Amino acid sequence: MIKKFSYYLSFLRSLSFYKLLNLFKIYSSYYLAIATKKTNHKGQPWSLSIETGTFCNLSCLECPSGQKQFTRPTGQMDIENFKTIIDKQKRSLIWLILYFQGEPFLNKDFFSMVTYARENKIFTSTSTNGHFLNPQNAEKAVQSGLHRIIISLDGLDQQTYEKYRVGGNFSQVINGIKNLVAAKKRLQSATPFIVVQFIVFKTNEHQLSKVQKLKKDLKVDKLEIKTAQVYSSEDKNKLIPDNKKLRRYEQTTDGNWKLKGQLPNKCKRMWRSAVITWDGQVIPCCFDKDADYKMGNLLTSSFQEIKTSPPYSAFREQILSDRSQIDICKNCSEGI
C-alpha cells in the first residue's frame, strides 16, 4: 500500500500550476468545440507518445513493425532530437509515453530519454514485449526513474504465446518480469509500476480463467485484460475470440466484422494528446500506424503552429462532423 501511494505521489509531483491551467484550457475548449461544432482548441497537449524507433525483435501478426509493412520511413529517434521535443513541451507536458511502434528497449538512448524526462518533472511510461529485461536493464529501468511499464504477455505457455507473438520466448519474458520485480525490491523503489497486459485472442481465450493467478505469482502491480485490435480481414477470423464478451468487434450479416457500437462525433485525444514519430512528425493518435495524417514536424515547428495548421483544423472538423469517414477511426473504441 505504501509503495502504491509513492507511485501515485510521483504522478502528482509532475503537476504544476501552469500544467493545471493548461488542463483547464484543453478541456474547456474541447467541450466548447463539441457544443459549437467549431474546431476551438486551447492549450498544449498534456500527454505525448514519442516513438523511440520502428524496429522490433518479434513478428507479431497484426503489427506493422513486426510484419515489416510500414509505408513510411523507418528509423530510431536520437537523444538530441528527443531533448528538442521535450524542451519545447515540458512546461505543459504531464505524461510521456515512450512508445508508439517498435520495441523501445532497442533504442540505445532509451534510459537517457527516461532520465531526461524525469529531470524535467514528466511522468514517464513505456510498453515493451519484455525480451530485453535482463538483470542489468531491469536495474537501469528502476534507476532511470521510469514510472510505469506495460509488459505484453499474451499466453501462459510457449505454445500459446508464440501463436501471436511470433518469434517470442515465453520463458525469457517471465524471467524479465521477475528481474524487474527483483530490481525494484533490491533498490527499494515504488517505480516502475509494473503492468502485465494480456490481450485476448481466439488463440489464448481458453487461458483467461488462469490469468488472474499470474499477477499473484509474478508479484506485479497490475494485470490488464485487453480486447484485441485487428486490421487484416483474414486475421480477424483467426484472432477474434469466440466469446462475444471478449470481442472488440461484432459480425455483420454478410460475414464481415465491424467495431461494436456507434462512433460518436468527438474525440478527446485530438485535444489532450498527440503522437510524435521517430523523425519528429506530429500525427493525431496511435491508430495512425503509417503516419498518413502528418500535421507538421515538431523538430522544426512549434506545437502552437502545428495545431492551428489547416490539416489539423480540418481533421478536428471532420471528427466533430462525421468521424466515421476517417479510416483510422474505424478501429478505435475511444468514446464508445
Side-chain angles (χ1 to χ4, degrees), residues 95-326:
W95 192 303
L96 172 66
I97 303 168
L98 274 171
Y99 172 74
F100 173 37
Q101 296 297 292
E103 168 53 47
F105 281 78
L106 286 175
N107 189 310
K108 63 180 179 59
D109 294 322
F110 174 75
F111 296 115
S112 297
M113 291 176 180
V114 175
T115 299
Y116 192 73
R118 182 201 66 195
E119 290 171 349
N120 282 284
K121 296 184 178 180
I122 299 167
F123 187 92
T124 308
S125 64
T126 194
S127 181
T128 175
N129 60 46
H131 283 77
F132 299 96
L133 289 170
N134 55 43
Q136 295 77 22
N137 281 343
E139 187 159 306
K140 286 180 181 179
V142 177
Q143 292 174 331
S144 68
L146 183 66
H147 293 103
R148 180 183 178 91
I149 185 169
I150 297 173
I151 304 169
S152 295
L153 188 67
D154 313 316
L156 300 182
D157 53 57
Q158 178 63 30
Q159 183 180 9
T160 303
Y161 174 77
E162 67 182 356
K163 285 180 180 177
Y164 180 76
R165 302 282 170 182
V166 178
N169 186 311
F170 175 78
S171 297
Q172 191 172 336
V173 180
I174 292 293
N175 288 333
I177 295 170
K178 291 179 178 178
N179 289 336
L180 191 56
V181 171
K184 281 179 63 176
K185 184 177 181 179
R186 185 170 60 255
L187 296 171
Q188 299 182 319
S189 175
T191 56
F193 188 86
I194 304 172
V195 180
V196 168
Q197 178 178 269
F198 190 94
I199 303 177
V200 185
F201 300 102
K202 182 182 289 190
T203 56
N204 63 16
E205 63 180 311
H206 64 285
Q207 296 183 330
L208 197 56
S209 61
K210 300 177 182 179
V211 172
Q212 293 297 335
K213 188 173 179 291
L214 192 68
K215 177 178 180 292
K216 183 177 180 180
D217 291 345
L218 293 175
K219 299 178 182 179
V220 297
D221 298 296
K222 183 180 180 182
L223 173 67
E224 195 168 80
I225 309 298
K226 188 176 179 182
T227 58
Q229 174 186 321
V230 187
Y231 288 92
S232 165
S233 298
E234 180 183 346
D235 283 344
K236 280 180 179 176
N237 292 322
K238 293 190 301 184
L239 295 176
I240 293 176
D242 291 324
N243 188 334
K244 293 181 179 180
K245 294 181 179 178
L246 303 175
R247 296 174 180 173
R248 184 178 294 201
Y249 309 91
E250 58 187 3
Q251 201 159 21
T252 58
T253 53
D254 59 3
N256 293 318
W257 296 92
K258 72 178 211 49
L259 198 69
K260 287 181 179 178
Q262 187 70 33
L263 274 177
N265 291 327
K266 58 183 179 179
C267 180
K268 288 180 182 177
R269 293 183 184 187
M270 295 305 100
W271 274 256
R272 74 185 183 197
S273 60
V275 173
I276 316 299
T277 62
W278 69 272
D279 51 354
Q281 298 290 343
V282 177
I283 58 176
C285 73
C286 61
F287 282 87
D288 189 8
K289 311 294 186 187
D290 274 315
D292 292 323
Y293 294 89
K294 297 180 183 68
M295 304 301 177
N297 195 300
L298 198 50
L299 296 174
T300 55
S301 304
S302 70
F303 195 86
Q304 181 63 32
E305 293 170 323
I306 294 170
K307 79 170 188 178
T308 56
S309 66
Y312 226 153
S313 297
F315 191 88
R316 289 196 184 94
E317 185 175 332
Q318 184 67 56
I319 288 282
L320 296 172
S321 60
D322 190 357
R323 185 178 165 204
S324 66
Q325 296 304 306
I326 303 175

Side-chain angles (χ1 to χ4, degrees), residues 80-91:
E80 294 308 317
N81 284 345
F82 175 80
K83 288 180 177 180
T84 296
I85 292 169
I86 294 300
D87 289 346
K88 285 185 175 184
Q89 298 303 124
K90 62 185 178 184
R91 194 178 179 204

